[in-house]
Amino acid sequence: MKRVLPLLALIIYLFTSSFISSEDRWFCEDQKYSYQLEIYNSRSQIQVQSDFCDYLTLNRKASEDNYIQLYPNVRLIIFSQKKIDKGLETIPQIIYKN
């Protein structure tokens, strides 16, 4: 019994920590909260290309948000530099819409 409880506690910890960290993991940590992905009519996870963070920087506009259709069911919102300078809100990186 002494060996089962620590093992059970470890399993529960690993399961919950991996679940929580996957929700908080951003594709571009240095640009956290400055963009958002909207996924329509799907619950599948998405992958982004290796140059995604550079793509955000290149397509950021000074005073207006930029809406880019990446895939038929995925839209990227890159928030303007003006909005970022005012202060970023805590938002989810990915939202699912019907």
Side-chain angles (χ1 to χ4, degrees):
M1 186 69 171
K2 288 182 179 180
R3 292 182 187 179
V4 174
L5 288 177
L7 182 59
L8 182 60
L10 178 63
I11 291 170
I12 292 171
Y13 170 76
L14 291 175
F15 176 75
T16 57
S17 66
S18 66
F19 178 73
I20 292 168
S21 65
S22 67
E23 292 291 319
D24 293 335
R25 203 171 308 139
W26 283 68
F27 296 121
C28 303
E29 278 293 327
D30 61 329
Q31 298 188 50
K32 192 174 186 177
Y33 307 129
S34 70
Y35 66 94
Q36 188 169 55
L37 292 156
E38 295 178 335
I39 301 177
Y40 294 90
N41 300 322
S42 176
R43 289 286 179 193
S44 62
Q45 294 182 347
I46 65 165
Q47 296 180 358
V48 297
Q49 295 179 348
S50 59
D51 62 345
F52 181 72
C53 300
D54 295 331
Y55 183 81
L56 294 173
T57 303
L58 291 172
N59 288 284
R60 188 171 313 282
K61 295 181 179 180
S63 60
E64 63 184 44
D65 295 343
N66 193 2
Y67 296 84
I68 300 169
Q69 197 72 36
L70 294 178
Y71 306 106
N73 67 328
V74 179
R75 182 170 77 161
L76 170 65
I77 305 168
I78 304 173
F79 301 118
S80 68
Q81 190 61 48
K82 184 178 179 180
K83 187 179 281 187
I84 292 169
D85 293 342
K86 285 183 180 178
L88 297 171
E89 295 179 33
T90 303
I91 58 166
Q93 175 178 222
I94 300 171
I95 57 173
Y96 295 93
K97 295 186 168 192
N98 293 336

